[in-house]
Amino acid sequence: MKDILTAPFVEEMRRTTANMYRLGWDERNGGNISYMLEEAEVREYLNIDAPLRTIPTGFNAQPLAGKIFIVTGTGKYFKNVDPDPETNLGIIKISADGSAAELLWGYKDGGKFTSELPAHLMSHMARLSVDPENRVVIHSHPTNTLAMNYVHELDEKKLTHTLWEMCTECIVVFPDGVGVLPWMLCGTNEIGEATAEKMKEFRLVIWGMHGIYGAGKNLDETFGLIETVEKAAQIYMLTAHLPRINTIKDEEMKVLAEAFGVEYRKDFLNL
């Protein structure tokens, strides 16, 4: 078998977590990633029928039975993934009854997957019901996005509209808008269920006063969604206290979205 450390999906996780830490999105052990892999690609590197150990998930993920994920570990720092992926990442397969994760590789210090795994799995199920190509869920704490939570109404239409106004690309990159949840206790099935419900409608969900969840077809797309929201939030935070002289008008956003052929939330514009 090939060396797992040379697998493209491991290399991608190393690059992505390093970038997120460098950008300040994932302080300490904040943030987590789950990436659904193709069985055929994993078989080139691992025996997927011989798990190292079985870890209960605390959640019934039976619709994902047999699916394989690479997942960041609980209590692990993103800055440590690149130098030591085998300790800070794990590759798991959801058991046949959906109640546990079969560890195929990683968490070599005896650790386990992120405490947010149930929320991730619920979001995966929700996104797959909308788009079967969605394979990635990322949770992080982007600084300006979080700061914006404290000075802007946590209303989906109003928040999305403000973000769309900040950069010309925004309505094109996330035309489906941004979902919003109020502050909720993290690491619980309740917040996972609420996030998954939002994920049926949005690829981006803000957890009030906490961070953001993003979902996409691959790591680049999902990273890019969060990156674009964070850039827009940064521009907002730099300008919110200043007189607004110019803005992107709703009519212009409509023209922009239609020119790029994206399905946008028409009800989020004031036309």
Side-chain angles (χ1 to χ4, degrees), residues 45-65:
Y45 302 91
L46 299 171
N47 181 353
I48 69 170
D49 302 311
L52 304 175
R53 52 191 167 98
T54 299
I55 311 169
T57 60
F59 163 69
N60 188 345
Q62 206 282 324
L64 296 172

Side-chain angles (χ1 to χ4, degrees), residues 7 16 65 70 89 93 128 132 137 141 149 158 163 192 211 240 246 268:
T16 301
I70 185 167
L89 300 175
K93 182 171 73 170
L128 288 168
V137 172
H141 309 152
N149 283 201
K158 292 176 181 178
L163 292 169
N246 301 303
F268 281 10

Side-chain angles (χ1 to χ4, degrees), residues 9-184:
F9 47 85
V10 173
E11 292 179 343
E12 279 186 284
M13 288 286 281
R14 293 169 78 167
R15 288 194 302 269
T16 301
T17 50
N19 265 332
M20 293 173 73
Y21 185 80
R22 176 182 57 83
L23 290 166
W25 296 1
D26 296 276
E27 72 293 333
R28 199 172 180 270
N29 62 318
N32 26 76
I33 301 176
S34 60
Y35 175 9
M36 188 168 67
L37 307 174
E38 297 289 348
E39 181 179 315
E41 65 181 340
V42 180
R43 282 191 182 276
E44 294 183 35
Y45 302 91
L46 299 171
N47 181 353
I48 69 170
D49 302 311
L52 304 175
R53 52 191 167 98
T54 299
I55 311 169
T57 60
F59 163 69
N60 188 345
Q62 206 282 324
L64 296 172
K67 298 294 185 184
I68 299 172
F69 298 85
I70 185 167
V71 187
T72 51
T74 186
K76 303 305 183 187
Y77 292 25
F78 274 24
K79 71 182 180 68
N80 295 332
V81 172
D82 187 41
D84 188 7
E86 193 172 1
T87 297
N88 297 284
L89 300 175
I91 296 177
I92 61 172
K93 182 171 73 170
I94 304 302
S95 63
D97 66 1
S99 68
E102 298 171 352
L103 181 64
L104 305 178
W105 173 85
Y107 309 142
K108 71 176 183 181
D109 62 351
K112 66 174 188 175
F113 44 75
T114 170
S115 62
E116 302 287 0
L117 184 66
H120 278 250
L121 295 178
M122 291 178 201
S123 290
H124 277 288
M125 289 189 290
R127 287 308 307 165
L128 288 168
S129 72
V130 176
D131 184 346
E133 293 186 15
N134 270 224
R135 298 171 63 191
V136 172
V137 172
I138 293 177
H139 169 56
S140 65
H141 309 152
T143 306
N144 293 284
T145 303
L146 185 54
M148 192 174 173
N149 283 201
Y150 292 90
V151 296
H152 193 288
E153 291 177 79
L154 290 179
D155 173 271
E156 289 168 349
K157 176 178 178 177
K158 292 176 181 178
L159 186 65
T160 296
H161 191 279
T162 296
L163 292 169
W164 281 353
E165 287 181 307
M166 295 300 106
C167 301
T168 295
E169 67 175 352
C170 284
I171 197 171
V172 177
V173 174
F174 52 97
D176 42 343
V178 177
V180 177
L181 289 176
W183 186 91
M184 298 177 69

